[in-house]
RNA sequence: GCCCGAGUGGCGGAAUGGUAGACGCAGCGGAUUCAAAAUCCGUCGCCGCAAGGCAUGCGAGUUCGAGUCUCGCCUCGGGCACCA
């Protein structure tokens, strides 16, 4: 008997699949199609366990669906633009393009041995001019369709490096490289009109029934539809042109609790007041720090009393002060609010800090109107008693009160009910080199002019340097120079490149025709779209998925996708992340420096670098390049083979849950595959026609395994499918059935294992006389007759505690079951003569006796 | 700060509101072996000699019955629009 040696069998079967073209996607009108897609990776250069888990899941689905008779499309590509390539160029020299393509080659070489059923002929990288040229063509179409525009927006500005920073590059309000305090600065940038689709993107969520509820909820909250009141305060003492101050509130029922009005530091009124040096200083103070919502909302709340007053709409004699406050966002509503400290914690904190009045508008139904120590914010659906109400009943829910307040405002003409969305337009300008150039030209006489399509792709120049901060395209000697497509006069190219989210918003469509001279090809898109199963990390729940949903609609509007593809992902599965501890030291300036797990030596008390420097251990978090807490799966594959790695990542945790990487367990997976191997050898040596015992039991176990594994894969419960496979393997190993039944069982085992461990499955299949390639064999079907049991064991509870059990025929009538249960000797003992109040029989499940 | 999740033995986890701990790992006992590794068999939540009791992050509640549903907390994780 030979030993299980994956290094011999894995390359052999990978060759066989390739020779057979087993994974080449073909449009086959005779078959239903199935498009399975995993979120494509960023080419960091090394695959990690998260990739192995992600792509194995997709591969299980792809192989399973192929066995179910579908024509499967399972492609792979590279999300290849982005900051790390430029950072590498800055840190280590070299060129982002060379670095990226080198990484792609390395990663592909690491992925190939996994034996994934990928159609590599469709491979693409978003940094290929072949890809981004088509993206530029679509940009022009969308520009023409009015989906793209320019406006000013704030960015993180590093005043020392004189460059724009990503949020990730702002650490504690300082630039990561320069250490300078970051400021918010306005820049004119390109935007997609995603907010035009707010309602559409929200209401269409209801149709995404095969998406996780939590993702739909997160997207709905992100879009943030709200119904509220918009009205204008009359101002007193404001500069000319600011006689009215428009505010928006979702709680107009709290109007009588207003104690101040507040405007964003970016509000036009604040800008108008900046002629006052004190206001200018305050606004400058507010602009310190980065642009991220997290930073803005966790910053200490500060305010400046402008001295301007506004008249309360319900009582002109009542005047409220107007403050500039750093926590009011210009992007949401009108950039101005009225503060009701009693019913909003932020307003409460602000009012407490600046000594503004706090008056309750409503109280809990049974409570008195007493001074508050914190904001009272019950759910809107809760009934409360209004002590300073002005519309609706005294006791009503928040929802009723809001509706009544809007009606009151409309009736008296001081405001209107309006619907607003939190979703903002999608800013795609990046002041960086390694991205898709925005194909427009700035002409001194014609202004902003779209490039001609025949001039596409606008390719990135190769001769750039990264020795200075800032965008190399800006300082390139000739690249910017061009002729205006309209008037032919000398003009300058746009140097902003596109957000990499644009690249990943349509790659799924491009996979249907990756080499086409147009972004998509109708007949290919018609056949392959939509993605039937999309698989990726929960961290993409909002941005990537929402942008893709928008982009598909924009592509439909510009003629690049059929109407059926406006929701491109029929089903979504969000896998958990593979997490790992983070190892950190600090540099001379006290900034964190992260270390790869292989650079770290664990000690009894903690961890050190190899030179003995103590390392700070930060608890497990998502594996990420920047935190360097990534584990290299290649060691596992080298030691145990791809099947072990695949089996292991699918077996341990439920796929939607995070999994903490540990090296223990890979051994166990390998041992199990070795057991399957020796079992296969043993059965192979059984004499033909040998009669054994327990044929029916083994046939039943086989049927049960088919049923359980099928359900497990269909329901994305791969860990449960694998648990059934362990049990089934043990059953076969202990069985002593006839040769034919044993062979049937192990062939079925091979087929059931094949989505997870395709190589060993193929080998077992061949040894046990399976026909053709296991990878191309049909999925087995369980005989329903073998799945039913005649008797069933029922636990008996007394007052909800399990005390006994009885075995009864499956279809026994309830009164019979009751009689049997009450006659059971344990039951009699526990009842000890107490009268039975009630007896509950759940057929096939449980009996509960209540005394 | 805001939005969304998760929390079950020593560990990963299983459980249409119906026997909590399937399956696997580790541990323990045994077989095999000169011995070990490997392999195989058995055992394995905690307390208790046992009867039995206690157990699904914490606290309430609904129910004949709650890991599962409701409310309030705690801890950890993801996202927060320029990380991908």
């Amino acid at each position: 008997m030979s030993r299980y040696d994956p290094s011999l069998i894995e390359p052999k079967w990978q060759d066989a699949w390739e020779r057979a073209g087993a994974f080449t996607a073909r449009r086959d009108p005779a078959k239903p199609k199935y498009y399975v897609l995993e979120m494509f990776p960023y080419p960091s250069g090394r695959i990690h366990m998260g990739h192995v888990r992600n792509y194995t899941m997709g591969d299980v689905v792809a192989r399973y669906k192929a066995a179910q008779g579908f024509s499967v499309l399972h492609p792979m590509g590279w999300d290849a633009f982005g900051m790390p390539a430029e950072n590498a160029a800055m840190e280590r020299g070299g060129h982002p393009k060379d670095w990226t393509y080198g990484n792609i080659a390395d990663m592909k070489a690491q992925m190939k041995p996994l034996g994934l059923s990928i159609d590599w002929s469709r491979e693409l990288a978003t940094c290929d001019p072949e890809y981004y040229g088509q993206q530029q063509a679509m940009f022009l179409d969308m520009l023409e369709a009015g989906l793209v525009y320019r406006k000013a927006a704030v960015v993180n500005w590093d005043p020392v490096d004189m460059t724009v920073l990503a949020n990730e590059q702002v650490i504690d309000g300082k630039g990561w490289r320069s250490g300078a305090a970051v400021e918010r600065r306005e820049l004119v940038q390109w935007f997609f009109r995603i907010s035009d689709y707010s309602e559409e993107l929200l209401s269409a969520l209801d149709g995404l029934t095969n998406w996780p509820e939590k993702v739909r909820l997160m997207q709905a909250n992100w879009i943030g539809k709200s119904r509220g009141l918009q009205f204008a305060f009359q101002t007193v003492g404001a500069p000319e042109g600011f006689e009215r101050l428009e505010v928006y509130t979702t709680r107009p029922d709290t109007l009588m609790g207003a104690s101040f009005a507040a405007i964003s530091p970016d509000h036009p009124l604040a800008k108008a007041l900046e002629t006052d040096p004190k206001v200018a200083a305050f606004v400058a103070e507010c602009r310190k720090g980065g642009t991220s919502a997290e930073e803005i909302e966790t910053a200490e709340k500060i305010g400046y009393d402008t001295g301007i007053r506004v008249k309360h709409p319900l009582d002109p004699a009542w005047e409220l002060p107007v403050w500039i406050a750093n926590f009011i966002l210009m992007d949401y509503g009108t950039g101005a609010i009225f503060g009701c400290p009693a019913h909003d914690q932020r307003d409460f904190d602000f009012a407490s800090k600046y000594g503004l009045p706090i008056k309750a508008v409503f109280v809990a139904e049974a409570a008195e109107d007493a001074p508050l120590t914190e904001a009272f914010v019950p759910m809107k659906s809760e009934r409360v008693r209004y002590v300073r109400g002005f519309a609706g009943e005294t006791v009503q829910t928040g929802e009723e009160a809001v509706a009544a307040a809007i009606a009151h405002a409309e009736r008296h003409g001081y405001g209107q009910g309006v619907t607003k969305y939190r979703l903002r337009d999608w800013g795609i300008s990046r002041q960086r080199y390694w991205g898709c150039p925005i194909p427009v030209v700035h002409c001194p006489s014609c202004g902003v002019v779209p490039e001609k399509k025949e001039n596409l792709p606008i390719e990135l120049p190769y001769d750039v340097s990264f020795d200075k901060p800032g965008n190399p395209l800006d300082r390139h000697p000739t690249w910017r120079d061009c002729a205006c497509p309209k008037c032919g006069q000398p003009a300058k190219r746009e140097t902003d490149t596109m957000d990499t989210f644009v690249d990943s918003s349509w790659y799924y469509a491009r996979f249907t025709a990756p080499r086409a001279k147009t972004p998509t090809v109708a007949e290919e898109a018609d056949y392959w779209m939509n993605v039937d199963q999309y698989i990726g990390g929960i961290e993409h729940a909002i941005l990537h998925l929402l942008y893709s949903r928008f982009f598909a609609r924009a592509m439909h509007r510009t003629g690049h996708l059929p109407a059926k593809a406006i929701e491109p992902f029929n089903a979504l599965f969000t896998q958990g992340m593979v997490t790992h501890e983070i190892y950190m030291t600090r540099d001379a300036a006290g900034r964190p420096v992260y270390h790869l797990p292989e650079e770290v030596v664990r000690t009894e008390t903690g961890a050190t670098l190899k030179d003995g420097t103590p390392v700070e251990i930060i608890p497990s978090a998502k594996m990420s390049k920047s935190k360097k807490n990534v584990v290299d799966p290649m060691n596992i594959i080298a030691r145990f083979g791809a099947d072990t790695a695949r089996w292991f990542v699918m077996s341990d945790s439920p796929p939607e849950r995070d999994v903490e990487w540990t090296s223990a367990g890979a051994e166990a997976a390998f041992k199990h595959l070795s057991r399957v191997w020796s079992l296969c050898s043993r059965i192979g040596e059984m004499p033909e026609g040998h009669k054994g015992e327990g044929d029916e039991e083994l046939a039943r176990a086989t049927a049960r395994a088919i049923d359980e594994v099928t359900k497990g894969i269909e329901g994305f419960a791969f860990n449960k499918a694998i648990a059934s496979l362990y049990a089934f393997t043990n059953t076969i190993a202990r069985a002593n059935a006839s040769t034919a039944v044993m062979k049937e069982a192990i062939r079925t085992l091979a087929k059931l294992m094949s989505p997870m461990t395709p190589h060993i499955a193929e080998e077992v299949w061949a040894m046990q006389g399976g026909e053709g390639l296991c990878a191309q064999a049909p999925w087995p079907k369980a005989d329903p007759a073998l799945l039913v049991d005649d008797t069933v064991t029922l636990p008996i509870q007394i007052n909800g505690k399990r005390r006994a059990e009885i075995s009864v025929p499956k279809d026994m009538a309830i009164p019979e079951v009751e009689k049997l249960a009450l006659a059971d000797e344990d039951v009699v003992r526990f009842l000890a003569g107490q009268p039975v109040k009630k007896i509950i029989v759940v057929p096939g499940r449980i009996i509960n006796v209540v005394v």
Side-chain angles (χ1 to χ4, degrees), chain A residues 63-143:
Chain A
R63 286 173 178 274
Y64 168 76
K65 288 292 176 180
Q68 292 280 26
F70 289 86
S71 167
V72 170
L73 171 58
H74 185 209
M76 181 56 66
W78 310 95
D79 190 12
F81 275 136
M83 290 201 306
E86 288 188 45
N87 293 340
M90 280 185 260
E91 282 165 20
R92 295 186 281 279
H95 194 282
K97 180 177 174 182
D98 303 332
W99 184 85
T100 302
Y101 280 103
N103 282 351
I104 288 173
D106 290 348
M107 273 180 90
K108 191 175 171 184
Q110 293 163 48
M111 280 168 73
K112 280 280 195 162
L114 284 169
L116 301 168
S117 65
I118 286 167
D119 180 357
W120 285 103
S121 73
R122 291 175 187 253
E123 179 182 0
L124 58 82
T126 56
C127 64
D128 297 336
E130 186 184 37
Y131 184 87
Y132 72 72
Q134 298 305 330
Q135 187 164 306
Q136 291 170 337
M138 284 194 294
F139 178 92
L140 294 176
D141 291 343
M142 291 175 191
L143 184 61

Side-chain angles (χ1 to χ4, degrees), chain A residues 743-814:
Chain A
K743 285 204 184 239
E744 178 60 25
I746 195 151
R747 267 202 309 274
T748 305
L749 176 68
K751 186 64 209 181
L752 294 177
M753 287 174 72
S754 68
M756 279 70 82
T757 55
H759 310 89
I760 189 173
E762 208 66 76
E763 191 73 22
V764 171
W765 185 259
M767 282 196 278
Q768 300 295 341
E771 256 180 65
L773 285 170
C774 183
Q776 293 176 314
W779 195 249
K781 284 197 168 61
D783 178 354
L786 295 175
L787 290 174
V788 289
D789 279 325
D790 310 335
T791 59
V792 55
T793 303
L794 291 180
I796 302 173
Q797 294 183 336
I798 294 170
N799 283 348
K801 282 191 192 290
R802 183 183 172 280
R803 297 298 187 189
E805 63 179 38
I806 52 172
S807 203
V808 300
K810 200 174 85 150
D811 301 320
M812 188 182 247
I814 288 176

Side-chain angles (χ1 to χ4, degrees), chain A residues 226-367:
Chain A
S226 66
R227 179 76 183 161
L229 180 71
Q230 187 159 328
F231 67 94
F233 283 116
Q234 249 184 54
T235 59
V236 180
E240 211 184 312
F242 294 97
E243 288 75 21
R244 292 157 56 85
L245 179 64
E246 286 280 339
V247 300
Y248 173 73
T249 175
T250 57
R251 289 310 296 260
D253 57 317
T254 64
L255 204 41
M256 295 306 287
S259 79
F260 61 94
I263 61 174
S264 164
D266 300 317
H267 192 278
L269 176 55
K271 286 184 182 167
L273 294 172
E274 274 190 66
T275 48
D276 178 345
K278 277 188 288 193
V279 174
F282 176 78
V283 169
E285 181 67 27
C286 291
R287 294 214 174 108
K288 281 187 184 162
T291 60
S292 72
E294 185 187 1
E295 195 165 336
I296 290 166
E297 290 188 39
T298 53
E300 198 197 335
K301 291 166 191 61
I302 53 173
Y304 178 87
D305 188 349
T306 61
I308 297 170
R309 295 285 180 271
V310 290
K311 294 184 173 182
H312 195 283
L314 297 174
D315 177 5
W318 180 6
E319 290 189 357
L320 303 171
V322 177
W323 288 64
I324 301 171
N326 64 340
F327 61 95
I328 308 299
L329 303 171
M330 194 56 219
D331 295 311
Y332 186 64
T334 61
I337 58 130
F338 75 82
C340 175
H343 305 294
D344 182 288
Q345 191 58 42
R346 280 188 311 191
D347 293 349
F348 186 95
D349 297 341
F350 190 79
S352 304
K353 179 168 176 175
Y354 293 108
L356 296 160
I358 300 170
K359 273 188 188 160
V361 174
F362 50 78
V363 295
E365 240 187 302

